[in-house]
Amino acid sequence: MYSLIAPLLMRLPPEASHDAALAALHWVGRLQLDPLLPAPVVDPVRLVGLEFGNRVGLAAGLDKNAACIDALGGLGFGFIEVGTVTPRPQPGNPKPRMFRLPASRALVNRMGFNNEGLARLVDRVERRRWRGVLGINIGKNKDTPAERAVDDYRIGLEAVHRLADYVTVNLSSPNTPGLRDLQLGAALDALLAGLAASRARLADEQGRRVPVFVKIAPDLHDADVDAIATRLVEAGVDGIVATNTTIERGAVAGQPHAEEAGGLSGAPLHERALAVVARVRASVGASAVLVGVGGIDSAPRAQAMIEAGADLVQVYTGFVYEGPALVSDAARSIRDARLRSLGLRARGA
């Protein structure tokens, strides 16, 4: 079905296409048509106290406002991450702010954390039917000064703690001025200390400890990757999501829209994302869950991310270009490779 719809979607401007696809998914969920979709690949894995249906998840950014959780859950994802959500609604950057680079199976976006705010997202999450693992990705409002960023992140954590299976702290979008500076030095230490205090209080009040992940950028120097990964684990962070979009353009130089401001995602990011995943794993060993994301548009690339050290993978741009078949193909490939390594045979989906 996606092969029939995709050419129509690709004729629309990228953001209009994105909105049309989400609207269609919204109605799939509203009409409860998701049981008609193919059964997901079953490959359960237990990490940080959570049971993931399989190792392939949806990255944050596609469903910023948690409007389509039920329908997306029916597409076979082992877990879904919604957001990025900020404390207050914000419109994001002026349009146009999303661009296709079809020759490279890539996107450039400078969306700027456009979202409807925490209150709307929380209301939708409360009403979801899909009971798979749900992550909520939190960020800061654009007009919040960097020195007060921890306030926004604590507000976000406190709002979603009772509903999220895990929370991802987004410090790595290139589209919010100064955000990436929070990944380094004293700014990172202050943020982690503030979040740790909120986590401890919330765990006492609610009787549950929600895992916290941090999403890092691909454009860090290797030494900074090592230092950040180590610092995150020392601070009690449960997982690291590697990586966000890149500001590098070497792999797409000369293509239409290649020089647009924003973050590049898709196939050109894959090799750097693999390298960052491998460095993070070497730095932290088995002490943190590692989610690999960046340029996964095929089952072999998903498997390569697992082999580089990721426990889980996420897709976004590859999903846009390839459709839902990517989810099942990647999950099946990862499962079958694991079973082959154990000398077992896969059964069923």
Side-chain angles (χ1 to χ4, degrees), residues 183-204:
Q183 298 176 111
L184 302 168
L188 178 62
D189 290 341
L191 179 65
L192 293 174
L195 287 173
S198 290
R199 289 183 76 189
R201 178 176 56 78
L202 290 165
D204 287 342

Side-chain angles (χ1 to χ4, degrees), residues 61-127:
L62 185 75
D63 190 6
K64 294 176 183 291
N65 298 305
C68 303
I69 297 171
D70 294 331
L72 288 166
L75 298 180
F77 289 105
F79 61 110
I80 291 170
E81 190 169 313
V82 296
T84 297
V85 62
T86 56
R88 291 171 283 110
Q90 61 182 28
N93 291 321
K95 299 179 182 181
R97 54 194 180 181
M98 181 183 286
F99 308 89
R100 294 191 194 98
L101 286 71
S104 292
R105 313 291 281 177
L107 295 172
V108 170
N109 92 82
R110 52 172 179 263
M111 304 298 286
F113 285 176
N114 58 306
N115 73 101
E116 297 173 359
L118 274 167
R120 290 293 298 275
L121 180 137
V122 164
D123 177 64
R124 289 178 175 132
V125 172
E126 286 178 328
R127 292 184 282 112

Side-chain angles (χ1 to χ4, degrees), residues 194-318:
L195 287 173
S198 290
R199 289 183 76 189
R201 178 176 56 78
L202 290 165
D204 287 342
E205 291 174 356
Q206 299 178 12
R208 65 189 294 255
R209 182 184 182 278
V210 175
V212 169
F213 297 175
V214 172
K215 190 167 189 174
I216 64 173
D219 304 313
L220 297 161
H221 296 299
D222 288 347
D224 288 335
V225 172
D226 298 340
I228 291 167
T230 301
R231 181 69 191 94
L232 292 176
V233 171
E234 290 173 349
V237 167
D238 302 282
I240 298 171
V241 183
T243 64
N244 212 314
T245 58
T246 180
I247 58 174
E248 292 295 324
R249 293 292 190 273
V252 296
Q255 295 184 30
H257 306 304
E259 300 307 317
E260 292 285 351
L264 174 72
S265 63
L269 176 58
H270 186 63
E271 289 304 315
R272 179 56 186 164
L274 278 178
V276 174
V277 164
R279 287 200 74 90
V280 171
R281 180 55 75 203
S283 295
V284 305
S287 57
V289 169
L290 182 51
V291 184
V293 53
I296 297 174
D297 59 4
S298 67
R301 285 189 163 180
Q303 180 60 32
M305 197 67 82
I306 296 292
E307 292 171 0
D311 299 294
L312 305 165
V313 302
Q314 289 180 330
V315 297
Y316 178 178
T317 302

